[in-house]
């Protein structure tokens, strides 16, 4: 009898207990249990011969042949020159994204006065962008999981650039809404830059360096305010829209350099291309490649939303969607509230009376240089927010960092209920924005870590889409409802952030120190191996009896 004639399933798992690994055949990841250790072991399902004896094989591989995974290769190569260059290139997409978002708080009051728009039409200028992003995000995510991260990212950048430039020529309000909605559709794919970037990072540095490229978002926001301060008084909003599109053009010029993810190539069965990418990283970083053969699972079905609701992930998915919603609702809410409260004039009287009179429908107020300066100060809050989270995310973990940001935002909102002056309002908004922007970036760190490669991009896309629903709603709260009741407006943001903090603590998986999962097939293979072993052990026990 040929003991090697039966094919066996081979999976690669992370062991959580070094002392018992010799007697254990599998580790199954679930919402409640995921490995955090960095050691990789080869797991072979047991083959059974005619006499009931078990024999472990390597699925056609030589038992003594060395193998390694993408995670092991990245750990061996480390963080170096290649990742630094990739940080800058992907960071450029974040600069472009941030500028397109920050312009909304500047464009709305300008067009309100220039085109004599009522409040709801002003809010629609902001909401239509987020509506486009909400539609585009899952579609770009599906494309990135199906055709590659680089492909999806390049196409969405082209789309956003074309319609961003065209929107600066919009002749009337309707055309502006239509074109800005198409800009939003394109920007919906920009979060895939984080998906691509995260797949090239070693475990130990992933959280820190994803947060580091978040600094590019802050740079883009600050640059947009400075650009508005320079252009708006002289050239007007059309030139501001045009110049705000140029960073996306710069990003597109560097897109040719971006490599496709080695994890994506491996998932498609293109091991040779994955090896070429890893060799390129090793060469740039001046480090040797691991010896042996690159191994991984091929997966033909990718980018399916239903895979986010498997028993292992449904709870995580629902909680994450609410967290992304609350984060975007609060972040863009505080951005829009900044200009609205500054334009309200006598803040003490307005807040004490719990109402801002809707006088803007009759009398327009353009943003002054003082308003731009205060907007600049509150925008600069994103830098200390990012620094704080960089210090916290790899110490207290992703879940606690998210909760900390939500609770601190809520704490900073509370003083706005009282009668405080403009300086105090600016300080409170500064601190609140620091924490909520930090929390937003933690979401970008956590989401790619918690899902396997075949659903990572669609998970980012759908989470981003849900967040855009929050961003779509927030203008009607921050720009319309605020004029009816300041206290009611602030209460809504307070409640959502408190619930967001609770949802963060309820997340069942902590990804701190965990490698990226290559494929959900690992879990299925593990479950199949468990069933086979249990059946074989039962049969063997019956034979002994």
């Amino acid at each position: 009898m040929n003991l090697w004639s039966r094919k066996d399933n081979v999976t690669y798992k992370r062991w959580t207990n070094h002392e018992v690994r010799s007697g254990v055949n599998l580790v199954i990841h679930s919402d409640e249990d995921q490995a955090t250790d960095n050691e990789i072991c080869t797991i072979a399902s047991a083959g059974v011969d005619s006499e009931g004896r078990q024999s472990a094989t390597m699925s056609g591989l030589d038992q003594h042949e060395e193998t390694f995974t993408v995670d092991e290769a990245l750990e061996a190569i480390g963080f170096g020159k290649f990742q630094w260059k990739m940080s800058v290139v992907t960071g450029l997409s974040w600069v472009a994204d941030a500028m397109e978002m920050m312009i909304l708080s500047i464009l709305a009051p300008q067009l309100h006065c220039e085109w004599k728009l009522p409040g709801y039409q002003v809010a629609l200028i902001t909401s239509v962008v987020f509506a486009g992003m909400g539609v585009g995000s899952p579609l770009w995510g599906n494309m990135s999981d199906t055709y590659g991260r680089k492909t999806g990212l390049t196409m969405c950048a082209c789309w956003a650039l074309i319609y961003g430039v065209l929107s600066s020529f919009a002749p009337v309000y309707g055309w502006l809404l239509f074109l800005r909605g198409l800009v939003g559709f394109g920007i919906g794919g920009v979060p895939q830059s984080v998906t691509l970037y995260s797949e090239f990072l070693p475990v130990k540095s992933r959280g820190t360096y994803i947060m580091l490229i978040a600094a590019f978002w802050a740079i883009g926001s600050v640059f947009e305010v400075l650009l508005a301060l320079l252009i708006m008084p002289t050239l007007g909003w059309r030139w501001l829209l045009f110049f705000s599109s140029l960073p996306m053009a710069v990003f597109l010029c560097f897109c040719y350099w971006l490599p496709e993810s080695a994890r994506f190539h491996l998932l498609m069965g293109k091991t040779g291309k994955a090896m070429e990418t890893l060799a390129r990283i090793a060469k740039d970083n001046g480090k040797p490649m691991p010896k042996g053969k690159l191994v991984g699972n091929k997966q033909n079905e990718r980018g399916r939303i239903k895979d986010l609701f498997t028993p292992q992930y449904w709870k995580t998915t629902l909680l994450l969607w609410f967290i992304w919603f609350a984060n975007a609702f609060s972040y863009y809410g505080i951005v829009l509230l900044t200009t609205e409260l500054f334009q309200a004039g006598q803040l003490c009287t307005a807040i004490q009376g719990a109402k801002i009179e809707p006088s803007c429908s009759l009398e327009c107020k353009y943003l002054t240089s003082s308003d731009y300066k205060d907007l600049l100060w509150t925008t600069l809050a994103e830098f200390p927010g990012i620094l704080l989270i960089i210090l916290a995310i790899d110490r207290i973990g992703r879940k606690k960092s998210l909760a900390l940001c939500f609770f601190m935002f809520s704490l900073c909102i509370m003083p706005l209920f009282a009668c405080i002056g403009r300086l105090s309002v600016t300080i409170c908004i500064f601190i609140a924005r620091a924490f909520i922007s930090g929390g937003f970036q933690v979401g970008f760190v956590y989401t790619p870590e918690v899902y396997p490669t075949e659903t990572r991009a669609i998970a980012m896309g759908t989470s981003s889409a849900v967040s855009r629903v929050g961003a779509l709603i927030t203008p009607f709260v921050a720009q319309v409802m605020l004029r009816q009741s300041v206290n009611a407006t602030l209460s809504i943001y307070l409640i959502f952030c408190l619930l967001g903090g609770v949802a963060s603590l309820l997340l069942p998986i902590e990804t701190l120190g965990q490698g990226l999962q290559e494929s959900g097939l690992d879990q299925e293979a593990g479950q199949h191996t468990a069933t086979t072993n249990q059946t074989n052990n039962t049969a063997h026990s019956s034979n002994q009896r």
Side-chain angles (χ1 to χ4, degrees):
M1 178 68 68
N2 186 359
L3 300 180
W4 307 101
S5 60
R6 176 171 177 170
K7 291 185 177 180
D8 299 287
N9 294 324
V10 180
T11 58
Y12 299 87
K13 299 293 178 181
R14 296 184 180 276
W15 290 94
T16 54
N17 188 340
H18 293 270
E19 297 178 358
V20 300
R21 63 178 180 264
S22 61
V24 180
N25 289 321
L26 69 145
V27 174
I28 299 176
H29 295 307
S30 67
D31 268 354
E32 287 75 23
D33 175 37
Q34 285 209 356
T36 59
D37 196 86
N38 287 331
E39 181 179 351
I40 305 289
C41 285
T42 301
I43 317 257
S45 63
V48 182
D49 61 16
S50 58
E51 298 178 0
R53 293 191 298 270
Q54 295 183 353
S55 59
T57 72
M58 294 287 292
S59 293
L61 294 177
D62 189 330
Q63 283 182 303
H64 303 291
E65 183 180 0
E66 292 187 44
T67 61
F68 64 91
T69 63
V70 174
D71 261 338
E72 289 178 311
L74 291 175
E75 289 299 323
I77 296 170
F79 190 96
K81 181 180 177 181
F82 175 87
Q83 283 87 355
W84 280 116
K85 289 191 292 185
M86 197 162 186
S87 299
V88 174
V89 175
T90 54
L92 285 173
S93 68
W94 280 78
V95 171
D97 190 356
M99 291 181 69
E100 291 289 358
M101 293 297 97
M102 195 65 201
I103 201 174
L104 298 176
S105 62
I106 300 168
L107 188 63
Q110 183 74 19
L111 290 180
H112 172 67
C113 295
E114 189 170 321
W115 285 355
K116 308 299 181 184
L117 302 177
Y120 78 92
Q121 288 188 338
V122 174
L124 275 175
I125 295 173
T126 301
S127 294
V128 72
V129 177
F130 293 120
M133 296 171 76
V135 174
S137 291
L139 295 179
W140 293 118
N142 179 270
M143 176 178 289
S144 297
D145 272 334
T146 306
Y147 301 105
R149 282 72 162 116
K150 180 180 177 179
T151 301
L153 191 57
T154 304
M155 291 185 65
C156 79
C158 285
W159 184 289
L161 173 62
I162 292 170
Y163 290 104
V165 172
L166 288 177
S167 63
S168 65
F169 296 97
V172 293
Y173 175 77
W175 270 106
L176 181 68
L177 282 185
F178 176 70
L179 291 171
R180 295 307 293 173
L182 292 175
V183 171
F185 182 86
I187 293 175
V190 173
Q192 298 308 327
S193 62
V194 180
T195 304
L196 179 64
Y197 182 66
S198 67
E199 293 183 340
F200 287 94
L201 296 176
V203 174
K204 292 181 180 179
S205 57
R206 188 185 307 121
T208 300
Y209 288 104
I210 290 180
M211 290 300 301
L212 196 59
I213 69 163
F216 285 93
W217 176 279
I219 291 171
S221 299
V222 171
F223 185 65
E224 182 63 32
V225 177
L226 293 174
L227 192 64
L229 184 59
L230 178 65
I231 291 177
M232 288 295 282
T234 56
L235 299 178
W237 61 270
R238 294 184 185 276
W239 282 101
L240 182 64
L241 281 176
F242 177 80
F243 284 118
S244 298
S245 302
L246 295 185
M248 193 66 81
V250 177
F251 169 69
L252 276 172
C253 292
F254 288 96
C255 268
Y256 76 93
W257 178 87
L258 283 174
E260 184 52 83
S261 168
R263 299 177 190 272
F264 177 79
H265 278 318
L266 199 61
L267 205 64
M268 293 185 68
K270 299 179 179 178
T271 308
K273 289 189 176 182
M275 284 291 290
E276 288 177 8
T277 301
L278 292 174
R280 174 182 170 185
I281 302 172
K283 181 180 178 180
D284 273 10
N285 289 359
K287 297 289 183 68
M289 280 280 290
K291 295 180 180 179
K293 183 176 181 179
L294 180 63
V295 292
N297 289 311
K298 180 180 178 181
Q299 173 73 334
N300 293 322
E301 295 180 337
R302 303 179 300 276
R304 300 182 303 178
I305 293 180
K306 69 177 185 178
D307 291 335
L308 303 178
F309 293 93
T310 60
Q312 291 83 8
Y313 294 114
W314 70 269
K315 188 186 298 182
T316 298
T317 297
L318 293 178
L319 286 171
L320 262 182
W321 281 4
F322 178 78
I323 289 168
W324 278 75
F325 176 92
N327 226 323
F329 179 78
S330 304
Y331 174 81
Y332 292 110
I334 201 68
V335 170
L336 296 174
L337 278 174
T338 302
T339 53
E340 290 295 322
L341 290 177
F342 287 161
Q343 279 197 312
Q346 193 65 27
L347 292 174
C348 184
T349 304
I351 293 176
Q352 193 175 38
K355 185 175 182 180
I356 295 177
E357 295 297 332
S359 58
C360 281
S361 60
L362 301 175
E363 180 183 356
C364 293
K365 293 182 180 180
Y366 290 95
L367 292 176
T368 64
S369 59
S370 178
D371 292 329
Y372 282 120
K373 289 176 183 178
D374 285 336
L375 185 60
L376 178 62
W377 279 113
T378 55
T379 303
L380 287 170
E382 301 204 9
F383 288 102
I386 292 169
L387 179 60
L388 178 66
I389 297 303
I390 285 176
L391 297 175
I393 195 168
D394 285 330
R395 288 172 173 80
I396 66 175
R398 281 54 163 154
K399 292 166 53 177
K400 291 181 181 178
S401 295
L402 272 171
L404 173 67
C405 291
F406 276 121
F407 291 142
M408 289 302 297
F409 178 88
S410 302
L411 189 63
C412 294
I413 286 292
M414 289 181 181
L416 298 180
F417 284 93
C419 178
I420 58 178
R422 182 175 178 126
L423 177 61
S424 300
V425 169
T426 303
I427 293 172
C428 288
I429 292 176
F430 181 93
I431 300 173
R433 184 162 174 176
F435 278 101
I436 201 62
S437 63
F440 216 149
Q441 304 309 325
V442 177
F444 279 101
V445 175
Y446 180 84
T447 306
E449 290 182 336
V450 81
Y451 292 99
T453 302
E454 72 256 23
T455 57
R456 188 169 295 127
I458 191 66
M460 282 292 292
T462 53
S463 296
S464 181
V466 172
S467 76
R468 304 315 173 187
V469 175
L472 187 153
I473 295 172
T474 204
F476 295 95
V477 179
Q479 294 177 321
V480 179
M481 185 179 179
L482 183 73
R483 306 197 175 279
Q484 303 303 317
S485 174
V486 174
N487 287 340
T489 301
L490 296 176
S491 296
I492 290 175
Y493 288 111
L494 184 67
I495 291 170
F496 268 102
C497 276
L498 289 175
L499 292 175
V502 173
S504 302
L505 295 175
L506 291 177
L507 284 169
I509 303 171
E510 174 56 69
T511 59
L512 176 62
Q514 202 175 275
L516 294 183
Q517 296 180 63
E518 295 301 334
S519 173
L521 289 177
D522 290 347
Q523 295 178 2
E524 296 174 8
Q527 291 170 348
H528 174 75
T529 304
T531 303
T532 303
N533 287 343
Q534 184 177 5
T535 302
N536 292 337
N537 290 335
T538 302
H540 185 64
S541 298
S542 299
N543 291 337
Q544 286 182 329
R545 288 195 296 268

